[in-house]
Amino acid sequence: MKKEDIAVKKVKRIDYLSPEYLYFKTDDETKYLVDGKSKILKEQLLFNYHNKNIYSTVSGKVLGLKTIDNKNFLVIQNDYKEKYVDNKSLRKKINDLSKKDILDILNESGAEYYSNNIHYFLNHFDSIESLVLSLMVCEDAQKIYSNVFLDYNSEIMEIFDALSQIFEIKSPIIIISDTDDKNIEYISNLSGMYPNLRIVLSHDKYPASHPLLISRKLSLTNSLVLTSMDLYYLYSVIKREKRVLEKEILITGESLKYDYLVNTKLNVLISDLLNVCNIKLKKDEILCKNSAIMGDTINSYDVLNTEIDSIVIAQKDDEKEKECINCGLCNKFCPQKLNPQRYKLSGRPYPGSCIDCNMCSYICPAKIGRKR
Ligand code: SF4
Ligand code: SF4
């Protein structure tokens, strides 16, 4: 995918921080800590779901259980008062914290909300030598990471620098698309403030933003690649002592006139998010989370959680697989040089070095998908 393929569209910003109803997924194993019809506060513990503590994103009233699309949810009605369980103040300096303080805060404060990257950090902090902030935009959905950095660059740099110092990371690096002019301008002024910081401009050809390919490009071992969203979560939890209850999300798609950058509560229905943007799905459209190329499909009755950074509206592809025409594209574009044609056609298992980027399926003119 070339940069020219990434649509340059106007971004419409929308706030959806006061939704009327919030939905928290439950099941028969759920241990509830609130009763039906009880009043609850923002950040109040609602229930334990598969060993995860689930907290309310608003203050309001428990309406009870509701089944939507065969899934069960505890529904909360917002009272719009935003009353917190405990109103904590900002920490003055993250750098005053020790490694143990940070790990305690993260483990206590809401590990259930973190991305896989942050869980990796929590489990491997002692062996990480290089910390990479990736602002790569290899497809439309990843524009969210560039936008979040534009909105919160000073907060993200504060936590990135503090973590690098506290965890004695030898090599903090920012890798950024060579066409992201606004963020490049900001970052190029940072070198005086962060003398150890390495800044790398990279061509944003899919799948160059894959963490393994970033580590290889930068010749790193024992590295951790975090997105701007990961770092903003870390900032919120460590500096503000807050659970992550809100987030920015990008809604994009070929049929949309604009990209929508929505500042929203978590635990809202995707259908409600689409409604506030006035987006009506057409019959032949589907929703993918985080990537049109490798993202799983979601439906409009799913609930927004921290795993979803962007929603792509894509065309349903009902075209059937055809005969391989031996075009060689899948072999040419496989970043691991695996000759995927051989595995696609024989059904043999893919080698362990396959990074699941899905490029070989996406690019295939005969619609022959990767058999996983
Ligand atoms: S085989 Fe396909 S999914 Fe695996 S690395 Fe190559 S292009 Fe990506
Ligand atoms: S891209 Fe598809 S059609 Fe082309 S060689 Fe690979 S499997 Fe065959």
Side-chain angles (χ1 to χ4, degrees):
M1 177 168 294
K2 297 183 207 126
K3 180 68 194 171
E4 303 85 74
D5 297 335
I6 297 176
V8 180
K9 283 184 191 171
K10 279 200 179 150
V11 177
K12 266 201 175 180
R13 288 176 175 266
I14 292 179
D15 274 339
Y16 191 44
L17 296 171
S18 303
E20 185 170 4
Y21 300 108
L22 291 301
Y23 299 80
F24 299 83
K25 197 167 169 201
T26 69
D27 63 12
D28 294 345
E29 310 275 299
T30 301
K31 297 181 188 85
Y32 295 96
L33 293 148
V34 289
D35 299 327
K37 311 290 177 211
S38 57
K39 287 196 172 159
I40 43 106
L41 298 170
K42 192 168 170 178
E43 291 203 345
Q44 183 169 336
L45 186 53
L46 297 174
F47 54 81
N48 185 280
Y49 178 75
H50 297 267
N51 295 324
K52 290 176 181 174
N53 287 331
I54 305 298
Y55 299 86
S56 179
T57 47
V58 293
S59 59
K61 195 169 78 180
V62 178
L63 289 187
L65 294 175
K66 185 169 183 179
T67 304
I68 306 174
D69 203 26
N70 292 324
K71 292 173 200 140
N72 293 327
F73 298 94
L74 180 77
V75 185
I76 306 281
Q77 186 171 26
N78 196 350
D79 65 7
Y80 305 108
K81 291 180 183 155
E82 296 280 303
K83 277 195 184 162
Y84 271 99
V85 167
D86 186 5
N87 234 340
K88 291 176 180 167
S89 54
L90 286 189
R91 279 180 204 284
K92 291 216 169 46
K93 269 185 119 194
I94 305 174
N95 289 50
D96 292 341
L97 299 172
S98 66
K99 262 189 211 184
K100 183 175 176 312
D101 291 336
I102 289 195
L103 295 170
D104 286 349
I105 293 167
L106 290 175
N107 283 319
E108 186 275 325
S109 249
E112 72 280 8
Y113 288 114
Y114 302 144
S115 67
N116 288 339
N117 294 342
I118 300 178
H119 282 295
Y120 186 91
F121 171 69
L122 283 169
N123 293 327
H124 298 88
F125 61 89
D126 264 341
S127 59
I128 295 169
E129 292 172 10
S130 309
L131 189 59
V132 183
L133 161 58
S134 169
L135 298 175
M136 296 285 286
V137 177
C138 289
E139 55 175 324
D140 281 335
Q142 292 177 337
K143 288 190 277 191
I144 184 68
Y145 303 122
S146 169
N147 275 302
V148 165
F149 192 75
L150 266 181
D151 288 347
Y152 303 108
N153 47 31
S154 60
E155 291 90 341
I156 289 168
M157 285 313 299
E158 183 180 342
I159 188 76
F160 186 56
D161 181 52
L163 291 179
S164 302
Q165 289 188 34
I166 295 164
F167 287 86
E168 295 155 43
I169 307 277
K170 286 184 212 138
S171 162
I173 303 170
I174 298 179
I175 183 162
I176 178 166
S177 296
D178 53 11
T179 49
D180 189 351
D181 297 337
K182 284 191 187 152
N183 281 322
I184 290 173
E185 189 185 334
Y186 174 83
I187 287 171
S188 51
N189 291 324
L190 293 176
S191 32
M193 289 161 69
Y194 304 103
N196 291 334
L197 182 65
R198 189 175 149 205
I199 298 164
V200 179
L201 301 190
S202 179
H203 194 53
D204 43 13
K205 194 172 154 201
Y206 188 88
S209 55
H210 194 290
L212 281 174
L213 301 181
I214 288 178
S215 296
R216 187 198 296 164
K217 177 183 172 70
L218 302 175
S219 309
L220 304 174
T221 48
N222 300 328
S223 61
L224 172 65
V225 179
L226 295 174
T227 65
S228 51
M229 189 79 90
D230 293 328
L231 282 160
Y232 188 62
Y233 283 175
L234 289 169
Y235 175 87
S236 299
V237 174
I238 295 169
K239 172 98 174 181
R240 294 160 64 194
E241 286 192 68
K242 283 195 187 304
R243 294 191 171 82
V244 178
L245 308 176
E246 293 158 9
K247 71 180 297 182
E248 281 190 0
I249 173 161
L250 184 85
I251 305 178
T252 183
E254 272 179 33
S255 63
L256 300 182
K257 192 168 167 202
Y258 304 100
D259 286 331
Y260 294 86
L261 189 64
V262 190
N263 197 12
T264 174
K265 291 279 182 205
L266 290 166
N267 296 95
V268 295
L269 285 179
I270 303 294
S271 57
D272 288 344
L273 265 179
L274 297 178
N275 279 341
V276 289
C277 301
N278 220 353
I279 297 172
K280 307 225 172 335
L281 271 194
K282 299 189 189 97
K283 271 194 181 151
D284 59 345
E285 288 180 328
I286 52 165
L287 302 170
C288 302
K289 68 173 180 187
N290 299 336
S291 168
I293 301 176
M294 55 181 294
D296 293 331
T297 53
I298 50 173
N299 78 47
S300 52
Y301 292 113
D302 283 328
V303 165
L304 180 68
N305 58 34
T306 46
E307 282 174 20
I308 305 177
D309 292 340
S310 46
I311 296 172
V312 186
I313 297 175
Q315 290 289 117
K316 212 184 270 174
D317 190 355
D318 289 334
E319 245 186 277
K320 296 232 159 57
E321 272 189 20
K322 301 187 189 107
E323 287 273 302
C324 171
I325 55 168
N326 257 319
C327 65
L329 285 174
C330 54
N331 302 334
K332 182 174 166 196
F333 284 96
C334 171
Q336 298 294 78
K337 313 232 175 304
L338 291 179
N339 197 346
Q341 181 189 17
R342 187 192 315 157
Y343 301 100
K344 284 210 242 184
L345 300 185
S346 69
R348 277 165 46 200
Y350 283 65
S353 52
C354 168
I355 57 170
D356 292 336
C357 67
N358 218 26
M359 191 65 182
C360 52
S361 306
Y362 184 74
I363 207 156
C364 177
K367 304 281 173 197
I368 302 171
R370 191 163 56 98
K371 317 283 185 299
R372 288 185 252 196

